[in-house]
Structures are given as structure tokens and as C-alpha cells.
């Protein structure tokens, strides 16, 4: 399919069906967490760095797709590993081949300076995300996630004697016996 490139005043190739197919496959390979990793990191970028010009939208989603490992067990793990992969593998702006039109660089309109600014924010975010992920206590972990994602990230309940670090209320009495017989 062809779409207009207004700046270059020409028509460009695109293949949205291949992008969709790739995303569906990636989400399956990530135990259905990939789409939410993308949403979380787009939210982080939009709310914490609203004045940063690039990357955003599809270029950011594409980059997350290249950096998010398969077989993640949670969105939190995906966020941490994606940020850490950007830091370790992409010090300089990469060429990101479009999924459907490989000769197109998804990052072509991003300057080296814009990428460098983005990379610096990712370095800081990766440290905070790793601290949040590795926290033993729920309250401390949530505080770190809020540091990363902002105050719209739900607050943790204050630690108390009645709730443990996992966020579950401490059991105070036995459960009733389960009756025998069919349940369906």
C-alpha cells in the first residue's frame, strides 16, 4: 500500500497488515504481556517526558518490540528487561527496519541528538525499574514504580501487621470444609 509523505512530497510504501501480524505473534511469544509492556512504556514516555520530541508512537512501539524478550512472565519483567536491553544494546541510534518494508528505517526522522536525550532517560528509567522489580516489600516496590510511572500509578497500602509484603491480608481463621459432591 502507498501512503503520502507530505514532507518529501512523494508516496511511500507501507505494509500495516505485516505490522499487525508481527505484533500478534510477538504478543503470543511474550505470554500476552507484550501489548501491555508497550502501553506502559508509551505511558512512561508520554507522562514523564512530555516535552521530548522523539521517539513516540509507532517508532517507540517498534523499538520496544525489538528490545522486549520473548517468554516474559509479567508486564513488570517486560518493562525492566526492555529498558535494560535498550541501555546495553543501543548506545547509538539504530537502524530499525520496518516490519513490512525492510528498506525503511523507522527511526529515520529521529536525530542523533534526540536519540541521545531519549537514551539518557532510558538509562535512568532502567535503574528505577530494576529497583522496583527487585524489591522484596510490596510497599517499597510500588513506591519505585510510582517514581518511574508517576503518581497515577496506584499507591500501595501502607505496611501494617495485618498485611504482608505480598499484599495479601494475613489469615486469621480456618476456611470452611469443602463439601463432597459435584460442583458443576
Amino acid at each position: 500500500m502507498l501512503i503520502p509523505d507530505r514532507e518529501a512530497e512523494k508516496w511511500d510504501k507501507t505494509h500495516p497488515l505485516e505490522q499487525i501480524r508481527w505484533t500478534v505473534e510477538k504478543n503470543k511469544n511474550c505470554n500476552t504481556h507484550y501489548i501491555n509492556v508497550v502501553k506502559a512504556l508509551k505511558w512512561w514516555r508520554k507522562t514523564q517526558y512530555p516535552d521530548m520530541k522523539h521517539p513516540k508512537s509507532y517508532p517507540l512501539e517498534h523499538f520496544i518490540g525489538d528490545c522486549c524478550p520473548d517468554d516474559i512472565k509479567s508486564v513488570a519483567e517486560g518493562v525492566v528487561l526492555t529498558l535494560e536491553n535498550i541501555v546495553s544494546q543501543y548506545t547509538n541510534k539504530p537502524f530499525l527496519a520496518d516490519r513490512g518494508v525492510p528498506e525503511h528505517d523507522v527511526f529515520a526522522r529521529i536525530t542523533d541528538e534526540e536519540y541521545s536525550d531519549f537514551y539518557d532517560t532510558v538509562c535512568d528509567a532502567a535503574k528505577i525499574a530494576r529497583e522496583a522489580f527487585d524489591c522484596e516489600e510490596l510497599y517499597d516496590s510500588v513506591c519505585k514504580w510510582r517514581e518511574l510511572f508517576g503518581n497515577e500509578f496506584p499507591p500501595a497500602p501502607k505496611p501494617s501487621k495485618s498485611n504482608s509484603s505480598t499484599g495479601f491480608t494475613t489469615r486469621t481463621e480456618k476456611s470452611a470444609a469443602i463439601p463432597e459432591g459435584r460442583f458443576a
Side-chain angles (χ1 to χ4, degrees), residues 2-170:
L2 297 174
I3 59 170
D5 180 338
R6 290 185 183 107
E7 290 176 17
E9 296 182 353
K10 65 176 189 158
W11 290 88
D12 252 341
K13 288 192 265 182
T14 186
H15 196 328
L17 294 178
E18 177 55 21
Q19 292 170 347
I20 292 167
R21 187 212 59 77
W22 188 94
T23 300
V24 168
E25 185 70 20
K26 180 69 173 181
N27 197 49
K28 185 170 46 168
N29 293 340
C30 291
N31 298 307
T32 70
H33 299 300
Y34 169 68
I35 289 173
N36 288 323
V37 170
V38 170
K39 287 179 182 180
L41 288 172
K42 280 182 157 185
W43 171 264
W44 161 77
R45 198 262 178 232
K46 180 181 176 184
T47 62
Q48 302 309 298
Y49 300 96
D51 297 332
M52 186 181 296
K53 190 172 180 184
H54 293 290
K56 57 185 175 183
S57 192
Y58 180 73
L60 180 58
E61 178 180 333
H62 184 106
F63 198 29
I64 294 165
D66 285 355
C67 297
C68 183
D70 291 346
D71 295 321
I72 56 174
K73 305 293 185 253
S74 68
V75 174
E77 180 185 27
V79 166
V80 172
L81 295 178
T82 299
L83 292 171
E84 289 177 343
N85 284 341
I86 292 170
V87 170
S88 67
Q89 297 176 27
Y90 296 100
T91 307
N92 298 310
K93 182 182 89 163
F95 179 96
L96 298 181
D98 186 301
R99 311 251 185 253
V101 187
E103 64 269 20
H104 287 179
D105 179 7
V106 174
F107 268 13
R109 293 185 178 169
I110 299 171
T111 67
D112 289 340
E113 183 180 340
E114 289 168 337
Y115 181 79
S116 179
D117 290 344
F118 171 73
Y119 180 82
D120 290 343
T121 63
V122 170
C123 289
D124 294 338
K127 290 175 192 169
I128 297 167
R130 174 51 68 186
E131 289 171 7
F133 189 71
D134 288 346
C135 276
E136 301 270 333
E137 299 293 324
L138 174 68
Y139 182 80
D140 296 335
S141 178
V142 171
C143 288
K144 282 293 181 183
W145 288 120
R146 284 173 62 93
E147 183 180 339
L148 181 67
F149 289 113
N151 290 334
E152 288 195 40
F153 191 89
K158 296 274 189 228
S160 71
K161 292 179 184 177
S162 67
N163 66 12
S164 68
S165 63
T166 61
F168 294 104
T169 304
T170 304

